[in-house]
Amino acid sequence: MNENYYEILEVYPAATLQEIETAYRMLLYKYHPDHNPDRAEWAHKMTAKVVEAFQWLSNPEKRKLHNFQIYCQVKRKAPERRFMFFQGKQKKQWELSVAHFKAGVMLFDRQKAKAMAKFRDAVLQWPKFPEALYNIGLCLVDMHKYDEARNYFKKVMGLNPKDQEIHRTLRRLDELSKK
Amino acid sequence: MSKIIGIDLGTTNSCAAIMQDNDLAIIPNTEGMRTTPSVVSIMKNGEIVVGEPAKRQEVINPESTIFSIKRFMGLKLDDPSVTKDKELIPYKLVAAANGDVRVEVHGRQYSPPEISAMILGKMKRDAETFLGEKIEKAVITCPAYFNDSQRQATKDAGKIAGLDVLRIINEPTAASLASGFDRKTKRKIAIYDLGGGTFDISILELGNGVFEVKSTSGDTHLGGDDFDQKIIDWLIEDFMKKERLDLRQDRIALQRLKEVAEKAKCELSDKPVAEITLPFIASDSSGPKHLNAKLTRAKLEDLTKKLVEMTIPPCEQALHDAGLKPQDIDEVVLVGGMTRMPKVRETVKKLFNKDPYPGVNPDETVAGGAAIQASVLKGNIRDILLLDVTPFSLGIRTEGGMMSKIIEKNSTIPVRKGEIFSTAKDNQTFVRIQVYQGEKPMAADNKLIGTFDLVGIPAAPREVPQIEVSFDVDANGIVRVSATDLGTGKEQAIKITPNSGLTETEITQYAKEQSEAKIVAKPEAAKQKNVEYDEVTSDKPADEAELRKTNKKKGLFGLFGG
């Protein structure tokens, strides 16, 4: 799971830039290796985290993206029960598709491009796979390809129009892509 | 807790400082000077002379007197900058087994960290004499634009000298700490550091006691030495025209030229004309020849115009990387002896459209900053925080020899980035990762830091093992690599083959050798008729002052004929 940078900096998601900056400096005093010579390893790790969080939240574009990411989490579970009755070739295709999907989830946190390739493989095997389509959308958002992402989310909506979550996701995407 | 000193290990001069009871003090050496020349002389009998006495006898022993060793720290012999600098030095450079630079003196090879350790050793002993207690810990500075292996070499030098190096900090950053800024007000400052051998520019943002470096750039092979060389070349040519004799063949003459060139350059900072006289510099069938020349400031500026201009692009780069314009900079601080040159000050003034920040001693500020940082590490100062950046991008070599960047340059340190690796073949048990530092798109054009082998991966089909390798740049700017197997959550074994540098055993061995080496205060040649050596072994620092007294007496007796 992607880390929540607001939690790391100990600020509210609605915090102003000023507040974020203050929190960042306070935490640096607390965590920086210079001030923690007796536990350098821990200090290094914590400072690196705080610095990364600040880099994201101090940049308005990146902050918007992060807001999107923490509200729209990657789909981790492949729905298995629904397709129990498949037999033969179809079953094999479905299993292969799920294997690709799982590999994609593993890669999602760190290598979005490779993860997206895996989700695409999953969709190739099984075109009506809403979770995989949704995750491709998330990968595309991460690469700032908002229009392509919107198409994928709309496909998910087409598969299950009653799902409220996808409507929310689309609304957030509109906010994000608004200049 | 024992005292921690700050050391500015410079190319031409080094300086040590300490914070005592909130007062910053420069530690004078035993010769009474506030800076020590970074010169080491190794005698035939193994004696080592460091500092002013070594510099004084440079002329007599050009092959065994080593100066500007910082230019070769952490570099390989085939590095283009080394090939260039090799021409300018009288001592001999050879390659070690891994291609690193070694200095050969009297048939023995010395690594640059060893030579630097001799200088650090002297700083340490002098501090011990001055403070009257043992010094074991230090903060050492290095140019901001030093890469990983150069930093590692600096740290190794400290270890060889018997110092626990608590932190390597960047020179311009250190300078900003000691420049006497009011820590509370928010402002942006530029530190322009032109020293004896290196040039650095750093842009900092200051506020609430946080000194945050925004960007840094520079040139590790540009400094006062190059200015001296321009003067030497001019003198040689001038002499060639007048006397038709080539002084380049004569190493002793070259050494004497170097001495006067440096002196003339310093003189020209406040005088319009410097007179250069070197009697008996050469001789031919018609008798001895003398060198007489007049160097005007205008001529010097003309000779070194290119060198001064070379500092401009890094400044622009640093401003660009920080996303700032020259008018956004509130203060410009000049550090390094070369910034005394009027032309340099003028260039900086034109570039930033601002007068330099007053009241900064260009020779001592860096050491002062190191001492302040030492005090922060000790816990005595709690309201200062240094946040530096890494000067180069860090990346790995990917298929096709491309460089895939993992940590961008000017990232705030400490920084950690994780990357997932997997195997390409079934049952592959190891993965090789080559880590590079630099900005070029092709990995081979950048500097290889080291090779990391993930070993002992459990046999599995390809792409199944998921190994997360985390790349860390610590607060010293030194790169570390570690790995975890995401499948098992266990630490993955890693075999590190650094591309250069000393091994742990070598460091321990050199440290032992140096603690036993004969360090003398005066070279044998200068002692002349004194029968007893005035030697001081490094493990008896407290005796040094006493020995010095007795030597003085002996010296007097010598003068009056015993």
Side-chain angles (χ1 to χ4, degrees), chain A residues 38-154:
Chain A
D38 47 342
R39 41 180 177 176
E41 202 47 48
W42 171 84
H44 171 85
K45 239 185 254 174
M46 295 306 285
T47 314
K49 258 189 191 180
V50 168
V51 167
E52 196 193 345
F54 179 70
Q55 271 164 4
W56 275 78
L57 297 189
S58 60
N59 179 331
E61 288 296 309
K62 278 186 164 179
R63 187 175 170 183
K64 268 198 223 167
L65 185 58
H66 184 64
N67 288 349
F68 181 84
Q69 283 170 347
I70 46 180
Y71 288 117
C72 308
Q73 297 279 341
V74 62
K75 302 276 182 207
R76 280 168 199 279
K77 270 192 194 153
E80 285 179 40
R81 267 170 303 150
R82 266 193 275 163
F83 300 94
M84 282 292 280
F85 51 86
F86 288 135
Q87 293 294 322
K89 197 186 163 206
Q90 262 190 328
K91 188 179 175 191
K92 212 170 239 171
Q93 263 183 350
W94 169 247
E95 274 168 3
L96 201 60
S97 179
V98 169
H100 284 310
F101 179 82
K102 281 184 178 161
V105 171
M106 280 269 283
L107 288 164
F108 183 83
D109 284 345
R110 282 167 190 94
Q111 287 167 299
K112 296 285 193 295
K114 277 191 184 169
M116 191 167 79
K118 289 284 173 200
F119 292 133
R120 285 218 157 117
D121 286 346
V123 173
L124 274 181
Q125 293 294 335
W126 198 269
K128 290 184 179 179
F129 192 162
E131 284 80 1
L133 289 167
Y134 185 85
N135 287 350
I136 294 176
L138 290 186
C139 293
L140 285 166
V141 169
D142 195 76
M143 294 165 197
H144 306 284
K145 292 174 181 163
Y146 301 135
D147 293 330
E148 280 180 55
R150 188 170 291 117
N151 289 340
Y152 275 93
F153 290 137
K154 284 200 172 136

Side-chain angles (χ1 to χ4, degrees), chain B residues 29 44 175 186 209 270 272 277 289 323 335 347 384 395 444 458 493-494 535:
Chain B
N29 60 18
K44 266 212 178 71
K186 229 179 169 180
D270 56 13
T277 16
K289 302 279 180 206
V335 193
T347 310
I384 286 186
I494 201 164
E535 65 193 39

Side-chain angles (χ1 to χ4, degrees), chain B residues 272-520:
Chain B
V273 189
E275 235 171 294
I276 300 169
T277 16
L278 276 176
F280 302 103
I281 187 83
S283 64
D284 63 0
S285 51
S286 65
K289 302 279 180 206
H290 316 296
L291 185 147
N292 282 306
K294 252 188 199 153
L295 183 60
T296 60
R297 192 187 282 175
K299 183 71 195 168
L300 174 69
E301 282 169 9
D302 185 44
L303 289 171
T304 57
K305 197 171 165 226
K306 264 201 184 137
L307 295 175
V308 178
E309 277 170 6
M310 269 167 80
T311 64
I312 298 174
C315 292
E316 284 167 349
Q317 179 71 41
L319 278 170
H320 174 262
D321 290 345
L324 297 173
K325 293 201 173 61
Q327 57 265 32
D328 298 332
I329 301 292
D330 298 316
E331 305 287 358
V332 183
V333 181
L334 296 182
V335 193
M338 269 318 294
T339 57
R340 289 205 176 88
M341 188 173 165
K343 183 76 193 165
V344 173
R345 300 181 83 90
E346 195 186 300
T347 310
V348 177
K349 198 180 158 187
K350 219 191 259 168
L351 193 63
F352 292 99
N353 210 1
K354 208 152 274 121
D355 273 317
Y357 191 73
V360 176
N361 182 333
D363 300 321
E364 296 168 359
T365 323
V366 172
I372 293 176
Q373 178 69 3
S375 197
V376 171
L377 290 175
K378 228 175 126 182
N380 288 359
I381 300 180
R382 300 290 301 177
D383 60 346
I384 286 186
L385 186 70
L386 258 195
L387 270 187
D388 223 313
V389 296
T390 162
F392 300 101
S393 297
L394 185 77
I396 49 165
R397 187 194 170 102
T398 55
E399 282 152 57
M402 299 295 280
M403 162 118 165
S404 151
K405 281 183 191 172
I406 290 169
I407 295 172
E408 289 284 332
K409 73 167 172 176
N410 292 323
S411 300
T412 304
I413 52 175
V415 55
R416 157 177 290 220
K417 284 273 158 74
E419 191 91 348
I420 295 184
F421 288 88
S422 193
T423 48
K425 285 182 210 143
D426 291 343
N427 298 330
Q428 190 176 340
T429 53
F430 88 94
V431 175
R432 170 159 293 186
I433 305 166
Q434 285 175 302
V435 181
Y436 286 84
Q437 221 173 20
E439 314 307 320
K440 308 263 170 63
M442 295 302 286
D445 297 335
N446 292 320
K447 159 110 187 125
L448 176 67
I449 298 179
T451 310
F452 301 89
D453 291 327
L454 301 175
V455 290
I457 300 169
R462 72 190 179 98
E463 294 199 1
V464 169
Q466 298 271 314
I467 294 152
E468 184 183 23
V469 179
S470 65
F471 297 87
D472 289 76
V473 181
D474 67 11
N476 297 319
I478 293 175
V479 178
R480 290 184 296 178
V481 176
S482 57
T484 27
D485 189 329
L486 286 183
T488 59
K490 267 193 231 151
E491 189 128 318
Q492 172 70 43
I494 201 164
K495 207 178 117 227
I496 303 171
T497 324
N499 188 36
S500 64
L502 304 171
T503 61
E504 210 55 47
T505 19
E506 279 174 310
I507 293 173
T508 340
Q509 184 205 332
Y510 294 151
K512 193 164 166 279
E513 276 175 21
Q514 286 215 357
S515 65
E516 288 162 1
K518 270 186 188 170
I519 316 276
V520 295

Side-chain angles (χ1 to χ4, degrees), chain B residues 93-138:
Chain B
L93 294 184
V94 290
N98 61 358
D100 279 4
V101 174
R102 290 281 185 276
V103 180
E104 198 178 273
V105 184
H106 305 311
R108 187 197 181 292
Q109 289 187 8
Y110 294 89
S111 64
E114 262 179 285
I115 307 284
S116 292
M118 293 170 191
I119 302 163
L120 288 174
K122 178 176 167 59
M123 310 301 290
K124 179 181 173 231
R125 284 190 304 279
D126 287 356
E128 283 168 347
T129 322
F130 180 71
L131 298 168
E133 62 179 276
K134 259 208 151 336
I135 299 291
E136 278 154 354
K137 293 171 179 175

